Amino acid sequence: MDDMLDEATYDRHRLGRWLAGGATGFSRRDLLKLTAAAGAGLAGAAVAVPGAATAAAGPIVKPLPPELFTVLGTNAEMRWSALAGQGYLVPVDRFFVRNHTSTPIIDATAWSLHISGAGLRHGPVSLSYRELRRLPSETITSTVECAGNGRSWFTTQQGQAVSGTAWQLGGIGVARWRGVRLSTVLRRAGLGRNAVDVLPIGLDPNYVTGGVDLGPVRRPLPVRKALHDVLLAYEMNGEPLPADHGHPVRLVVPGWIGIASIKWLGRIEVTDQPVFTPWNTQFYRLFGPGHPAEGEPFDRQVVKSAFELDPGAQVPAGATLRLRGRSWSASGPIRHVDVSTDGGQAWRRARRVGGSEGAAWQRWEIDWRPAAGQHELLARATDVRGNTQPDVAEYNKLGYLFDAVVRHPVVAV
Ligand SMILES: Nc1nc2c(c(=O)[nH]1)N[C@H]1C(S)=C(S)[C@@H](COP(=O)(O)O)O[C@H]1N2
Ligand SMILES: [Mo]
């Protein structure tokens, strides 16, 4: 896929500049210092919240009932059983939350977006919430998925040690997002021909880890992607963006790992040089065997599938059961999904349920009459480009991009 090649080529090119010390933001020396400091233990989050924001009581504001969520530190993972009986979109009451620190409460009327940097032709500009709402809007259906979604299976299924939040498969959601194209706002701001990177910066508290303050959550997008399909979203599923999902305005970056979709957007820097932050150097790179010491950059998600059941779920024995699930890929719609109910020996093709709006995911179902006892369910999806889920995901130390077929235990009683 051309796009993918270009992104990878671009990433490699900027990597060269970073290694040579010719880049702005977060230098290789910073990274080495940080690596040396790691192990000093996890410090608490900084409390200073800039601008119109105040800190909330806990890391997440919305209710997290245990039948819908599993709480993992400052994050909450959706339980896949919570999607049973739901439509194509994931309602906000069960949409996963990934917070590096905590949800800030931001007053939209006091908020504005500041755009600055050497890649602008006429200097910095500010845009209020009202001004943004008056620009032409667009509605898209898109997935937001954490790059580490499925990480826990590296350990439980492949016996490999990885670090990071131990997500099962609930670090994903699909919503309808309304907002203004980032390209509209950047062009109105006077994008220069010299612009290279677009750096969105969140208004949540600085991320502090290993005793080091890494500053606000931020990760650059190449200008090409920023102008292609990125949305400055202010509505989610027809409602104003909820606090936990980035109120008043977040980015939605289709097809890319969740960290690209910066929430609680406060500033955008448009640079004339490649930019580096901890989120594209220390995190969100592939480290480990087969990867260069400085890590392999990546932006896109892979193919995955999940059943709308919890692992270990009890199902009735001796009756026909309709198994339901969903599969998704960042490279396009899903072509087919094969399901095994006997631990991977026999496979049957699942039936599609409904369409695939925005190619965000595909719902499917298959009937099964289980005998009493333990069973293992597997689902393997293939997308329109022929990408298929492997039996084993390629290991990387931070446990990103787990795409292998998950072995899902159930017990029929
Ligand atoms: N400002 C800010 N933006 C952020 C994050 C964050 O902690 N702070 N987390 C990122 C990550 S890692 C993911 S996976 C998505 C999660 O979006 P959600 O919480 O709306 O599901 O937001 C991204 N945007
Ligand atoms: Mo994430």
Side-chain angles (χ1 to χ4, degrees), residues 309-399:
L309 284 171
D310 292 319
Q314 277 198 8
V315 297
T320 298
L321 176 70
R322 185 149 293 175
L323 292 172
R324 294 190 172 86
R326 306 182 188 219
S327 299
W328 59 98
S329 164
S331 303
I334 295 297
R335 187 191 287 153
H336 53 73
V337 180
D338 293 319
V339 170
S340 170
T341 51
D342 61 1
Q345 293 168 50
W347 293 83
R348 288 184 292 147
R349 190 133 300 175
R351 269 190 308 278
R352 270 164 203 285
V353 177
S356 177
E357 193 182 306
W361 56 17
Q362 176 65 56
R363 290 188 287 158
W364 45 261
E365 61 184 27
I366 195 164
D367 292 342
W368 176 44
R369 206 181 162 86
Q374 303 275 349
H375 302 273
E376 219 171 35
L377 307 179
L378 293 83
R380 183 194 310 276
T382 303
D383 70 21
V384 289
R385 292 178 190 271
N387 302 305
T388 299
Q389 294 182 255
D391 291 330
V392 178
E394 207 186 297
Y395 172 75
N396 65 94
K397 284 185 185 172
L398 299 184

